[in-house]
Amino acid sequence: MGVALTGPESRPPLVFDTREIKRGSLLEVDRLVPAPADLGVALATFPEGSDLTLNLTFEFVVDGILVRGTVEGTVHAECARCLDPVTWREQVELTELFLFPPQREGEELSEDDLVLEGDLLDLEPTVRDAVVLQLPLAPVCREDCPGLCSACGARLAEDPEHSHDEVDPRWAALTALIEDEQD
Ligand SMILES: [Zn+2]
Ligand SMILES: [Zn+2]
């Protein structure tokens, strides 16, 4: 009564209707959803609108609804050393308990508790937190990527012999002094 029934299409893709979950049972959710905007870290993200595969269970437990499972998608990143684009599949695990609102006055909740409001459960902040914790802050295209020459920006992977032979004249003078003192 008085509840506006909204179809799944009209809800954001990471918001779930808890009325679909029956007390004492599990709801399994296996579905593809579009990634929300800004899902990731500076150099590595799941692009907005790209496919995320959800494999989740929603379990009706004593205190609330326990959500567990994985979110998988393709990360688009930039190598922190040579700036080449890199992509890979990444699977992120989640576990989060969404508490039912307190039944009695004065029931204690800590600041970190997630409390359900109404019938809808918004999983997006949980997914966001798990992704940010897992994605690398400095992704590399390969473990031994030599990066770029700090003097001229040349790609060292393509030019392993690359060097700048001319030594800074101030260093040359210093080196000569040190050699003199050692004599
Ligand atoms: Zn690289
Ligand atoms: Zn160089």
Side-chain angles (χ1 to χ4, degrees):
M1 293 289 282
V3 176
L5 287 170
T6 52
E9 293 75 22
S10 63
R11 288 198 302 265
L14 289 167
V15 173
F16 298 86
D17 189 339
T18 60
R19 287 170 299 179
E20 292 168 23
I21 307 159
K22 294 188 178 51
R23 192 171 283 275
S25 75
L26 277 181
L27 175 71
E28 294 193 18
V29 172
D30 299 306
R31 70 170 75 136
L32 272 184
V33 299
D38 303 317
L39 182 61
V41 292
L43 292 178
T45 57
F46 293 100
E48 182 176 3
S50 66
D51 284 346
L52 293 180
T53 306
L54 307 182
N55 279 293
L56 301 170
T57 59
F58 290 73
E59 186 179 357
F60 209 113
V61 295
V62 176
D63 298 340
I65 291 174
L66 179 63
V67 183
R68 280 182 293 194
T70 59
V71 175
E72 192 186 320
T74 301
V75 176
H76 288 241
E78 197 172 87
C79 174
R81 295 184 201 152
C82 74
L83 311 181
D84 263 4
V86 205
T87 61
W88 69 87
R89 295 292 290 174
E90 183 91 24
Q91 195 181 65
V92 178
E93 291 196 20
L94 317 171
T95 304
E96 189 86 76
L97 177 63
F98 293 81
L99 295 170
F100 298 127
Q103 298 297 307
R104 287 177 297 277
E105 285 289 317
E107 254 185 90
E108 291 288 311
L109 286 170
S110 93
E111 264 182 39
D112 297 334
D113 285 339
L114 282 169
V115 181
L116 289 164
E117 290 174 30
D119 295 317
L120 299 181
L121 182 161
D122 184 0
L123 200 59
E124 189 176 315
T126 302
V127 169
R128 218 171 260 294
D129 288 352
V131 163
V132 166
L133 276 178
Q134 184 160 325
L135 290 184
L137 292 174
V140 286
C141 61
R142 50 177 229 233
E143 280 307 315
D144 61 349
C145 171
L148 304 176
C149 171
S150 58
C152 72
R155 305 170 61 78
L156 298 177
E158 285 160 15
D159 187 5
E161 303 299 308
H162 187 89
S163 77
H164 294 267
D165 277 335
E166 71 274 31
V167 174
D168 185 313
R170 286 164 299 179
W171 283 112
L174 195 61
T175 309
L177 264 176
I178 291 165
E179 279 170 2
D180 273 356
E181 280 186 9
Q182 281 170 346
D183 282 344

